[in-house]
Amino acid sequence: MDTNNNNNNKSSSSGKNRRNKKSNTTTTTTATTTTTTTTNNNNIKSFSQLSLDEKKEFLLSHSKNIFKPTFINKKEDDYELDKILKESSIETFTCQICMNCTDNQLQCKNGHLACKQCWDEIILQKAYTQKVCPFCKVPVSLDTVDRNLFYKTILEKEEVQCPYYLNGYQNNTDNVSCGSFKYSFLIDKHKNECQYRLVKCECGQDVKIKEIDKHQEQVCLKTMFQCKHCSQKFIRQDQEKHFNTCPNMIVACQYCDMVFQRHEKQHHIINYCPETNVYCSFSSIGCKEVIKRKLLNNHFVTKDHSTLLKSVVVQMDHLKKSNQQLLVQNHDLQSNLSKYANEIQLLQKEKSQLEIEYMNLFGQIEILEYEKSKGRAYISQFTSNTTANNNNNNNNNNNNNNGKDKGAPSPDSCIIM
């Protein structure tokens, strides 16, 4: 790190000449410290800039294979029978209806052979109104056609060539044939062991069994790797995305010769890179020049900032006076605040006294209301009693008057005879 800083402080012209003469010598530190080199910046490429061979080499040197994808066998009948039989035997195993060579022929009740596909068409297709054998006209159905054991036996004894080697013959670089063998050996054993047989990889590509390891190590897009720098897992298909974003990958500064882990790059450019354009330290007071960090010291020497500093001093004096004025205003406000606080306390005391007086008056009002209701009740009772007495007196007077009238004869009763 010190070597790089010393080199950055030298003149740019001599520094560029020296950097052009440098080779690929590198100095690396441990994973816990920043890695720096004096390698030319032009020799540090991003992963996307590498050629196909360079990408393969880069992947193997910066990661390790931790998982291999699975392979799925293709269907068993992935070859044509007439391609592996001897020419003299092809006619024996050819369907006499469709003329296709097949290992699966069924017979009618009379022993006439045809491939399963032809029998299905005769029996199931509506175009055939008569479901009969085309050779002997015997009625046929799915239940009456059956396999011919003799046909199967002679086929198993036929000499055949390896269909998987023949299918990839043009691409077989070693040209080591599997040889010939009986058809029964092909079905029972060889088809599961042949190194030329194609199987489908999880990535979707057809691969020979003998080339599975090579395919997985060099080509397969689903092979899993683990980055040696950050331990993150990824498949080959995502290798470019990972290596272009891996935080611990060694990268070069685009401005100077220093290299480091990717997560340190932004911090380096913002705070240390000698080739980064930065604002002058006096930009806040008026210097608007943008220069490279390595030229800052020279800028301070050559550029006169005294005028700017004087203006700052004047502004500071002005601010000082303004501050003193604000202190005086603040003192006055504090005094007024204390005065208002005292007045508020007095008003609160008066409020408390008024509340007490109010409560006393409210109590007296309640007493008066009670006395008032009492007086009304007394008056009402007195009135009722007086009325009752008057009524009684009137009744007594009426009774007395009625008694007097009954004791004396009426004038009409005195008749002179």
Side-chain angles (χ1 to χ4, degrees), residues 197-224:
R197 186 179 185 187
L198 292 178
V199 291
K200 185 173 287 294
C201 177
E202 189 178 342
C203 68
Q205 187 172 344
D206 294 335
V207 185
K208 295 177 184 177
I209 292 178
K210 62 181 293 184
E211 296 176 351
I212 286 178
D213 291 339
K214 180 180 178 182
H215 168 77
Q216 291 177 331
E217 292 177 0
Q218 299 182 9
V219 180
C220 181
L221 298 178
K222 298 296 182 180
T223 301
M224 183 75 70

Side-chain angles (χ1 to χ4, degrees), residues 199-264:
V199 291
K200 185 173 287 294
C201 177
E202 189 178 342
C203 68
Q205 187 172 344
D206 294 335
V207 185
K208 295 177 184 177
I209 292 178
K210 62 181 293 184
E211 296 176 351
I212 286 178
D213 291 339
K214 180 180 178 182
H215 168 77
Q216 291 177 331
E217 292 177 0
Q218 299 182 9
V219 180
C220 181
L221 298 178
K222 298 296 182 180
T223 301
M224 183 75 70
F225 294 88
Q226 186 174 29
C227 179
K228 292 181 179 179
H229 301 284
C230 67
S231 299
Q232 184 176 342
K233 299 176 183 178
F234 59 92
I235 58 176
R236 180 181 271 111
Q237 187 176 4
D238 298 331
Q239 60 179 329
E240 183 168 342
K241 177 182 177 181
H242 174 76
F243 287 130
N244 283 337
T245 58
C246 175
N248 296 339
M249 182 65 63
I250 303 303
V251 296
C253 175
Q254 64 263 41
Y255 304 114
C256 66
D257 289 335
M258 293 182 65
V259 295
F260 28 69
Q261 292 180 337
R262 180 177 276 112
H263 69 87
E264 298 173 336

Side-chain angles (χ1 to χ4, degrees), residues 94-102 114-118 121:
T94 300
C95 175
Q96 297 304 308
I97 298 177
C98 65
M99 303 309 292
N100 289 329
C101 188
T102 175
C115 67
K116 186 179 184 304
Q117 184 177 358
C118 289
E121 290 182 0

